[in-house]
Amino acid sequence: MEPKADIALIGLAVMGQNLILNMNDHGFTVVAFNRTVEKVDHFMANEAKGTKVIGAHSIEEMVAQLKRPRRVMLMVKAGKPVDEFIEHLLPHLEPGDIIIDGGNSLFEDTARRVKYVESKGLLYIGTGVSGGEEGARHGPSIMPGGSPAAWPHVKDIFQAIAAKVDNGTPCCDWVGEGGAGHYVKMVHNGIEYGDMQLICEAYNILKNGLGMTADEMHLVLKEWDHTIEQWILRLNSLSKWCPEFELPPIGDEDRRHLIEQICHGAIGYKDIKDREVRGVVQSWLSHPQRELLDKHAPERLSLANGRTPKVSYEASNPPHIAMRIQELYDVMQTPKIALGRVPVLVHILTPGMKPVQVTQDLANFWREHYPRIKSELQRRYPKHEWR
């Protein structure tokens, strides 16, 4: 029998099941296996019914279904079960095959396993998978690390099933050797738990300090939204790029003062429900300072072709815009902000909003890359304008 499966997954708890279904949705053939084989039968008769998923009742049967190099992903409890499954798998695999641990393993254990599996001639990946059950089903964040030679063989699968940002970039890329993948996941979890603690503390203040109900708190907290965060990022970025403007950045302690100012004098929901968050935050700057901010770190750019794309600001990355190729026609030079000191990163998209290229040199893009890209995309998008 000719092997026809792209990957196998061991562990049919909800996360494992949903990852399998996600892979199936993206055109990959998956072999499902569980130590308790009754779970395999139940999964195949219910959640996986009508899919291309293949059920296996033994490791031998599972491995026989896999194309080479064989890719086997473990979604089992961290610790001893991972080591046990590695030992079960090794006799059935051959040099170049890949074992993937998608659980929450300690990064030091993953580094040890990479060395051990590589000593047997195989490859090993330890990857963080974030997003819970819903993310596993419809698009998780994936953080793979381990044996670099394994990445080209799993890249297409992982990036296909991963969540995507607005410009189509997958929330998945290679993060490094050894235990790097699970180390990144550990840091990721720490940030996530810090965010949850912050939400809990805000909830405690609003509930017990102001006596607000859940519905009332929702109405208040939704006002501090993405637009507020972008305004603060614009300010903090410009204060670094152009220190001569002497714009005062907003730090963590300043945020707390602003929240106190918004809530000052309130003893209940009725006192706070109509207060404007944006106005209070922007009052951090004087009118002339706000004009400097709008001019040199604008919310939107004015391009040579008349278009006005929205600029996204990030704390650790350059500002960027995302536009389809046709929307960039007649824009020959990279836009710059902050007195011309900061080039804006341009995410260039297909007419179908898929990423094509990221550049800070539009002139070079039009000269060196556009002719080839036009030739490739014109056949796929014949109804769109191509110059």
Side-chain angles (χ1 to χ4, degrees):
M1 180 181 64
E2 185 71 22
K4 57 183 179 180
D6 301 295
I7 189 170
L9 192 144
I10 298 175
L12 296 182
V14 176
M15 284 288 291
Q17 291 185 19
N18 283 356
L19 281 173
I20 290 172
L21 296 174
N22 189 351
M23 293 175 186
N24 177 81
D25 289 348
H26 285 85
F28 300 103
T29 301
V30 188
V31 186
F33 176 70
N34 196 83
R35 183 168 51 187
T36 308
V37 294
E38 290 80 8
K39 279 193 174 183
V40 177
D41 295 330
H42 185 273
F43 178 56
M44 296 303 299
N46 292 276
E47 292 85 358
K49 187 176 181 180
T51 69
K52 296 192 301 179
V53 177
I54 301 169
H57 292 84
S58 67
I59 289 179
E60 294 88 344
E61 182 184 355
M62 177 193 76
V63 171
Q65 298 279 0
L66 291 170
K67 303 172 187 174
R68 288 178 171 80
R70 303 179 182 99
R71 292 159 283 201
V72 181
M73 186 168 186
L74 303 175
M75 292 298 295
V76 300
K77 185 178 179 181
K80 187 178 179 181
V82 178
D83 291 311
E84 290 177 344
F85 265 111
I86 290 173
E87 294 303 326
H88 290 320
L89 286 167
L90 287 175
H92 304 282
L93 301 177
E94 59 189 31
D97 289 345
I98 303 161
I99 299 174
I100 306 160
D101 173 17
N104 275 325
S105 290
L106 179 65
F107 71 94
E108 293 169 325
D109 287 341
T110 301
R112 168 178 57 80
R113 290 167 184 147
V114 170
K115 292 179 180 178
Y116 175 67
V117 172
E118 287 182 344
S119 74
K120 303 294 184 181
L122 283 73
L123 303 173
Y124 192 85
I125 289 176
T127 183
V129 179
S130 180
E133 299 171 8
E134 188 72 16
R137 183 65 184 87
H138 301 292
S141 172
I142 307 176
M143 298 148 258
S147 306
W151 175 232
H153 301 292
V154 302
K155 179 179 180 180
D156 289 347
I157 299 175
F158 280 9
Q159 292 193 337
I161 69 170
K164 309 295 190 299
V165 295
D166 291 342
N167 65 6
T169 302
C171 298
C172 170
D173 210 340
W174 187 252
V175 298
E177 299 183 22
H182 279 132
Y183 185 87
V184 171
K185 180 59 161 57
M186 177 184 68
V187 175
H188 169 100
N189 283 351
I191 295 169
E192 181 180 17
Y193 299 155
D195 285 342
M196 289 191 290
Q197 179 66 27
L198 180 62
I199 292 169
C200 291
E201 292 181 10
Y203 171 83
N204 181 58
I205 292 170
L206 295 175
K207 180 178 185 294
N208 297 319
L210 296 178
M212 296 168 64
T213 67
D215 288 339
E216 292 166 348
M217 284 185 279
H218 166 71
L219 292 173
V220 172
L221 292 175
K222 74 175 183 178
E223 295 299 324
W224 193 296
D225 58 10
H226 179 70
T227 61
I228 300 296
E229 290 296 332
Q230 280 290 292
W231 192 88
I232 293 174
L233 281 168
R234 289 167 56 204
L235 168 59
N236 290 352
S237 298
L238 188 59
S239 70
K240 294 178 184 177
W241 298 330
C242 300
E244 65 269 33
F245 291 160
E246 297 183 346
L247 298 179
I250 295 177
D252 292 340
E253 187 64 29
D254 302 318
R255 285 172 179 262
R256 284 191 284 272
H257 288 319
L258 287 169
I259 293 172
E260 289 174 1
Q261 186 178 343
I262 293 167
C263 299
H264 180 69
I267 58 173
Y269 171 64
K270 291 182 180 179
D271 298 319
I272 199 173
K273 67 182 181 70
D274 294 324
R275 295 189 181 180
E276 183 186 6
V277 172
R278 186 180 182 90
V280 172
V281 174
Q282 292 187 352
S283 69
W284 184 258
L285 298 181
S286 66
H287 180 70
Q289 288 173 327
R290 290 198 295 272
E291 288 184 336
L292 282 173
L293 179 63
D294 290 338
K295 180 178 181 180
H296 297 291
E299 185 176 2
R300 290 184 176 274
L301 290 177
S302 295
L303 299 181
N305 62 3
R307 296 190 178 272
T308 56
K310 196 167 187 176
V311 186
S312 294
Y313 293 82
E314 299 179 27
S316 303
N317 294 306
H320 71 270
I321 57 175
M323 301 182 72
R324 289 173 289 192
I325 290 177
Q326 285 75 12
E327 295 171 330
L328 287 165
Y329 285 153
D330 299 322
V331 182
M332 306 309 296
Q333 299 297 324
T334 302
K336 296 181 179 181
I337 59 176
L339 298 175
R341 297 171 186 172
V342 180
V344 176
L345 198 64
V346 182
H347 292 252
I348 303 172
L349 312 176
T350 70
M353 300 301 286
K354 301 293 185 182
V356 172
Q357 191 164 327
V358 178
T359 184
Q360 283 185 321
D361 189 347
L362 271 178
N364 182 68
F365 167 77
W366 293 121
R367 183 176 61 253
E368 302 293 337
H369 303 286
Y370 177 70
R372 171 185 56 79
I373 291 171
K374 174 185 174 181
S375 176
E376 294 173 359
L377 294 181
Q378 199 167 17
R379 295 189 297 270
R380 291 165 52 190
Y381 300 99
K383 295 182 180 181
H384 289 77
E385 178 188 12
W386 295 98
R387 296 184 187 178

